[in-house]
Amino acid sequence: MPQMPYVKPCDADAAVVGGGLVGIAAAIAIAKAGLKVIHLAPVGPVDRRTSALMMPSVDFLRSTSLIDDPSRLGHRLSEIRIIDATNRLLRSPETLFEAGESGLEAFGWNFANQRLLEQFQQRAAELPNLETRPLDVTEFAYGPDQPELTLADGSVLQVPLVVGADGKKSLIRAAAGFRARENGFTQAALVCDLELGRPLGGCSVEFHYPQGPFTLVPAGNNRANLVWIDDREVLRQAQAGGAEQLVPILLNKSQRLFGSITLATPAHVFPLSTISVDRAGSRGVVLVGEAAHAFPPIGAQGLNLGLRDVADLATALQAGSTSTPLWAEKVSFDYAQRRAADLARTGGMVDALFRSLLAEMVPAQALRSAGLWALKLLPSLRQRAFSLGMGQR
Ligand SMILES: Cc1cc2nc3c(=O)[nH]c(=O)nc-3n(C[C@H](O)[C@H](O)[C@H](O)COP(=O)(O)OP(=O)(O)OC[C@H]3O[C@@H](n4cnc5c(N)ncnc54)[C@H](O)[C@@H]3O)c2cc1C
């Protein structure tokens, strides 16, 4: 009788590396596709960020039962107000975008990342084919039959499909040989919660300063989530001065439009960078979330894009069959094809927006100003901008 080649049995169908929001959403999606999945999610520091999720992302979370009623977890975003706070020669008009104009109840919802994470963790715990291990991956290698992951306790996992959801400094991206382009910025983002004298209602207010936007996002009652982008050193100094020094700066930056300000949480500073990859999947490995793409938090795109990665991964799994040979390689190839256009379009849009906000050159300022005038005056263009910003496909 001819000898069958020996194939070592695998530990699961898939492993997801990284316990951030995108990693856990991916692990749940894979388990719901009927595969056995191991989620490697070391316990990290509390995620202090908040995320404005556009309606298509909220609909995705609801349709996959990751959340039910968004009002139980987050705050509705029904208006976006843009205020040009520069002293430039060519200033843009103040512009108010209202969701109602497009017949929408809201552009999206604003969530604290930690609350979403806890909700996702509850959902994950309900799935018998999803096992969570609080362990770091220390090594990745392409084994003779399938990818191999070495874990922090020295154990080795062999799985046909590996999902790298391990963030900006992704070990999986580097070790699996994905080509990536990275760009650091001198700007950073300062994040904290504020109590304002007057409520924002459902309106997210963006003050556009020459060094970057200063954005107040509604977080219920008089609370706002602040995302302030500026030079890293300016932010570090503002943070180091404590509430005494920070509050007067914030009052000034918010043009005192919302009355008094008190800090409701400590301020955190996040460095900013861009990361993009040539392909998001290959040889049984796929990259999701910030392992595949990162950019400054302008136009609220990062997590929205990460959830679209998860949606496309679920579609690629449904389209293939895990009983055929090399199924994981086919899924990774299919996933990369599905993600290519969206990753290029969204990355390009955020990059152009960020550069136009910081542009010192008068022609670039003129373009941005003309763009905002056009958006203000032309309803059809505004509709197109809405659907692009919301990531509608
Ligand atoms: C200030 C700020 C505001 C933002 N606002 C918005 C917004 O309004 N809307 C929006 O859509 N997006 C927003 N974003 C972007 C959004 O927060 C991110 O895109 C998203 O949270 C990334 O999730 P992730 O799971 O891909 O990565 P991460 O949250 O970075 O998770 C990666 C995980 O991988 C783990 N890990 C790393 N290495 C390993 C390893 N070797 N083994 C195992 N685990 C590992 C880490 O511990 C971590 O838990 C914002 C970002 C910032 C900085």
Side-chain angles (χ1 to χ4, degrees), residues 1-6:
M1 256 194 31
Q3 283 250 309
M4 293 292 285
Y6 172 73

Side-chain angles (χ1 to χ4, degrees), residues 17-23 40-42 44 47 49-53 110 113 135-138 165-168 171 189 191 227 270 272 288-291 297 300-305:
V17 184
L21 284 168
V22 181
L40 301 158
D47 189 340
R49 295 169 292 185
T50 56
S51 295
L53 291 185
N110 183 36
N113 285 14
L135 288 172
D136 270 292
V137 170
T138 55
D166 49 344
K168 278 187 184 180
L171 174 149
V191 170
V227 182
F270 292 87
L272 300 183
V288 294
E290 289 199 337
Q301 293 294 323
L303 182 57
N304 284 283
L305 193 59

Side-chain angles (χ1 to χ4, degrees), residues 31 88 174 362:
R88 286 169 177 161
V362 172

